[in-house]
């Protein structure tokens, strides 16, 4: 067993060296820790976890003697509870929260034409972006999502760009806020103005005292001229951003952005992490290129099913994959649900390969610990942050305490990973920390102004939803922008005979 009591000298060193350090000891819980040396989960039962400032300072089999702890250590009794790392969401559009529930039946084309960055540009104020981003981040923190890579495509003006960044900083979440560079038609904000705004933000370093970091999103690797792309690439390189991301949805959807195109601009095989969201219709050579350059896709299981842009290739690229949520206004915001969807979908997929040959599957295709790692450790790896998504000495103290002692859903648990992956829900999350600070405690968000944030958000949601209710749906007929024909799907009718057909939406 690797875990042992912290040598007294180290603990004394902690006390002496960091006079103003703040420490917390979570004692008596079952810890889903990680051993990055062997890339395996390490369960410590009835152990304790010492957090000093923003980092995990020690993991112990038993509670360390009081004298060995930094002075003033706060003790938090988590006996009977489960401690896991916070989840990492590698693809999200946080600003869209205000569309909640009004996109329940959209296809991808309808999403782009109605709720996407271009359809929304002319209607959202900076205040709307701030309120919607902040409320969405609290929703994520409440669900134990402590890190997210936000493809922030609300960059329609200097003000809306800053609004989303400011909300990210103010939330206390760990947001890799990816400034989106995009050609806009409905608002007056040219690419060169965007680059000026981006440089301005990069120089401001206003996120520096928060867990938020600056990243970039760019989706036009195949659609803009190479001179423009080269200028964008050199701006990204000069800004020393923490990540780069792009939607990669090829096939009939036409958002090509494959790794080989990005590689041709000399920015794939560098120290910069590049995350390709979805990776739908990813050619085999591009999958290999991700392996060669150690870059990741973000599988967003629910969105790829909801909109139908699919993940047929992702089943075979799970060694270079992490999990994401995508457009949380249309469905679950939490990574736990996404990872669970994915686990069972992978099982379904590979069971079916056997069963449809009239043979009986004799083994299960995927384990709960693999799904758990995709949702935690692999998110950290996608961002090239080995200190995220793991509970290990030296890692960031981004933690979830699950109410395994009292939740009826978890009563009788034995395997803590199975308890989380297959039985727990967001409602069972008792505490959440980011950088060692409680963002949720005893089942409630700790943000003092949360009630005010809710009120402001509701005003934004009402204003936005009133506009969208009265906006006609785009007609999906003929070829799409990439030249592929748009055709209807089969629509199920759950009522036999003179049924009710497709059903209705209840938006007022
Ligand atoms: C440490 O001190 C706390 C009170 O601060 C006490 O409740 C606890 O029992 C002590 N633990 C040990 C191991 O001495
Ligand atoms: C969703 O429902 C609305 C209202 O019934 C309808 O106008 C729209 O076409 C539907 N979208 C799709 C993709 O079916
Ligand atoms: C964002 O925050 C900065 C201070 O860090 C402030 O100067 C600026 O006005 C804010 N902008 C918006 C749009 O909220
Ligand atoms: C946006 O910010 C850029 C960079 O600071 C500046 O040059 C430009 O004038 C600003 N635009 C507006 C409309 O304020
Ligand atoms: C770039 O950022 C990394 C970490 O964010 C930092 O360690 C490094 O010193 C930075 N490099 C430059 C040239 O600023
Ligand atoms: C990536 O860079 C390394 C050297 O840093 C080189 O050995 C490798 O061949 C490169 N791979 C690709 C696919 O360009
Ligand atoms: Zn997306």
């Amino acid at each position: 067993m690797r875990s042992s009591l912290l040598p007294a000298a180290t603990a004394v060193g902690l006390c002496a060296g960091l006079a103003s350090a703040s420490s917390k000891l979570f004692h008596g819980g079952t810890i889903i820790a990680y051993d990055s040396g062997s890339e395996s989960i390490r369960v410590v039962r009835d152990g304790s976890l010492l957090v000093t400032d923003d980092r995990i300072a020690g993991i112990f089999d038993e509670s360390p003697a009081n004298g060995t702890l930094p002075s003033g250590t706060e003790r938090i009794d988590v006996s009977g509870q489960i401690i896991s790392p916070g989840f990492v969401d590698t693809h999200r559009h946080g600003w869209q929260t205000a569309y909640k529930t009004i996109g329940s039946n959209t296809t991808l084309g309808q999403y782009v034409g109605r709720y996407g960055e271009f359809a929304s540009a002319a209607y959202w104020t900076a205040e709307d972006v701030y309120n919607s981003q902040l409320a969405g981040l609290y929703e994520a923190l409440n669900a134990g999502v402590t890190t997210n890579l936000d493809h922030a495509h609300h960059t329609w003006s200097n003000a809306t760009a800053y609004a989303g960044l400011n909300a990210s900083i103010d939330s206390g979440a760990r947001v890799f806020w990816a400034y989106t560079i995009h050609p806009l038609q409905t608002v007056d904000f040219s690419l060169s103005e965007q680059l000026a705004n981006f440089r301005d933000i990069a120089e401001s370093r206003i996120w520096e005292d928060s867990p938020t970091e600056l990243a970039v999103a760019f989706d036009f690797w195949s659609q803009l001229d190479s001179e423009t792309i080269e200028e964008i690439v050199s701006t990204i390189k000069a800004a020393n951003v923490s990540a780069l991301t792009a939607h990669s949805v090829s096939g009939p959807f036409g958002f090509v952005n494959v790794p080989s195109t990005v590689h041709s601009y000399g920015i794939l095989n560098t120290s910069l992490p590049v995350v390709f969201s979805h990776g739908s219709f990813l050619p085999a050579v591009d999958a290999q290129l991700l392996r060669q350059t150690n870059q990741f896709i973000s599988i967003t299981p629910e969105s790829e099913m909801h909109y139908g842009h699919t993940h047929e290739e992702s089943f075979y690229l799970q060694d270079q994959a992490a999990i994401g949520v995508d457009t949380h206004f249309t469905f679950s915001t939490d990574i736990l649900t996404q990872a669970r969807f994915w686990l069972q979908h992978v099982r379904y997929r590979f069971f079916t390969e056997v069963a449809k040959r009239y043979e009986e599957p004799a083994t299960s295709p995927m384990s709960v610990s693999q799904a758990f790692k995709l949702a935690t450790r692999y998110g950290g790896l996608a961002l090239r942050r080995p200190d995220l998504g793991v509970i290990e000495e030296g890692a960031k103290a981004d933690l979830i305490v699950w109410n395994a002692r009292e939740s009826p859903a978890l009563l009788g648990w034995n395997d803590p990973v199975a308890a989380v992956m297959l039985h727990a829900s967001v409602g069972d999350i008792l505490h959440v920390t980011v950088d060692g600070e409680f963002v949720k405690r005893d089942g409630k968000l700790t943000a003092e102004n949360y009630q005010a944030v809710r009120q402001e958000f509701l005003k934004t949601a009402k204003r936005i939803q009133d506009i969208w209710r009265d906006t006609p749906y785009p007609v999906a007929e003929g070829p799409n922008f990439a030249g592929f024909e748009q055709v209807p799907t089969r629509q199920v009718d759950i009522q036999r005979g003179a049924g009710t057909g497709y059903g209705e939406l209840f938006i007022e």
Side-chain angles (χ1 to χ4, degrees), residues 50-119:
L50 179 66
V51 169
T52 295
D53 293 334
D54 60 328
R55 301 270 170 186
I56 293 165
I59 301 161
F60 314 109
D61 285 331
E62 49 195 88
S63 201
N66 281 333
T68 65
L69 292 170
S71 66
T73 298
E74 181 189 358
R75 303 178 62 95
I76 299 132
D77 181 359
V78 291
S79 50
Q81 314 290 40
I82 295 170
I83 309 182
S84 78
F87 292 113
V88 181
D89 176 356
T90 50
H91 183 63
R92 176 181 173 86
H93 309 288
W95 64 271
Q96 293 176 328
T97 316
Y99 288 135
K100 189 168 287 177
T101 74
I102 68 172
S104 67
N105 70 336
T106 61
T107 60
L108 191 64
Q110 206 167 61
Y111 162 79
V112 173
R114 194 170 158 79
Y115 306 101
E117 63 204 282
F118 307 108

Side-chain angles (χ1 to χ4, degrees), residues 10-78:
T10 315
V12 170
L14 280 172
C15 309
L18 298 163
S20 61
S22 106
S23 292
K24 297 180 180 73
L25 184 77
F26 294 88
H27 61 93
T30 292
I31 303 162
I32 307 178
Y34 203 73
D35 177 8
S36 55
S38 61
E39 288 294 349
S40 54
I41 291 170
R42 187 169 73 84
V43 169
V44 180
R45 290 182 194 263
D46 303 321
S48 58
L49 180 67
L50 179 66
V51 169
T52 295
D53 293 334
D54 60 328
R55 301 270 170 186
I56 293 165
I59 301 161
F60 314 109
D61 285 331
E62 49 195 88
S63 201
N66 281 333
T68 65
L69 292 170
S71 66
T73 298
E74 181 189 358
R75 303 178 62 95
I76 299 132
D77 181 359
V78 291

Side-chain angles (χ1 to χ4, degrees), residues 224-497:
L224 292 180
D225 63 277
S226 59
E227 203 178 313
T228 304
I229 296 176
E230 270 157 23
E231 191 195 345
I232 290 168
V233 166
S234 71
T235 307
I236 294 169
K237 284 182 173 168
N240 191 27
V241 293
S242 300
L244 172 64
T245 190
H247 284 112
S248 185
V249 185
S250 307
F253 301 99
F255 300 98
V256 180
N257 297 321
V258 286
S260 47
T261 312
V262 179
H263 190 43
S264 71
Y265 288 96
I267 199 167
L268 192 70
N269 195 23
T270 69
S271 60
L272 179 69
V274 184
V275 177
F276 293 88
S277 42
H278 317 302
S280 312
F281 297 88
L282 195 72
V285 285
D286 288 280
Q288 277 309 82
L289 190 54
L290 292 179
R291 291 185 171 118
Q292 287 158 4
T293 56
N294 193 26
Q295 304 289 11
F296 281 66
I297 58 167
S298 173
I299 303 171
T300 65
E302 196 173 358
S303 108
E304 290 149 9
M305 293 194 255
H306 180 104
Y307 298 116
H309 47 299
T310 75
H311 36 229
E312 291 295 305
E313 298 71 27
S314 307
F315 293 113
Y316 308 101
L317 193 54
Q318 294 191 59
D319 50 325
Q320 292 294 144
I323 301 289
V325 169
D326 202 3
T327 58
H328 67 294
F329 74 95
T330 36
F331 41 68
S332 338
T333 205
D334 63 299
I335 285 292
L336 174 59
T337 300
Q338 301 307 326
R340 188 179 294 168
F341 254 116
W342 181 244
L343 168 64
Q344 304 295 31
H345 192 41
V346 171
R347 287 174 170 175
Y348 177 90
R349 167 64 185 237
F350 292 123
F351 276 140
T352 305
E353 282 188 4
V354 172
K356 73 185 177 192
R357 302 193 303 255
Y358 289 153
E359 291 167 337
E360 187 187 341
T363 53
S364 175
M366 186 173 179
S367 67
V368 290
S369 62
Q370 288 177 315
F372 182 84
K373 281 157 82 165
L374 288 180
T376 54
R377 166 69 166 174
Y378 277 43
L381 293 179
L383 294 163
R384 301 220 173 140
R385 287 290 301 265
D387 61 340
L388 299 181
V390 292
I391 295 181
E392 196 171 31
E393 218 174 291
K396 283 285 191 179
D398 296 357
L399 304 168
I400 301 174
V401 176
W402 301 86
N403 193 4
R405 189 170 60 205
E406 275 140 32
S407 164
L410 299 178
L411 186 67
W413 69 273
N414 182 336
D415 180 333
V417 180
V420 168
M421 288 311 305
L422 294 178
H423 299 273
S425 68
V426 167
D428 301 325
I429 295 177
L430 195 59
H431 311 312
V432 179
T433 66
V434 176
D435 267 352
E437 298 288 336
F438 282 104
V439 292
K440 183 179 189 179
R441 191 160 191 175
D442 299 320
K444 284 205 164 66
L445 291 167
T446 59
E448 277 166 20
N449 63 345
Y450 183 59
Q451 291 311 322
V453 171
R454 283 171 59 112
Q455 294 313 313
E456 290 308 305
F457 167 74
L458 287 174
K459 286 183 211 158
T460 280
K462 171 89 174 88
R463 199 185 79 75
I464 294 293
Q465 293 180 8
D466 281 352
I467 298 171
W468 259 258
R469 179 198 52 223
D470 299 332
T471 303
Y473 284 77
V475 179
E477 277 172 11
N480 68 9
F481 78 95
F484 294 94
E485 205 59 33
Q486 305 180 84
V487 298
T489 59
R490 172 173 180 154
Q491 292 190 322
V492 300
D493 190 343
I494 61 153
Q495 207 168 319
R496 206 168 40 234

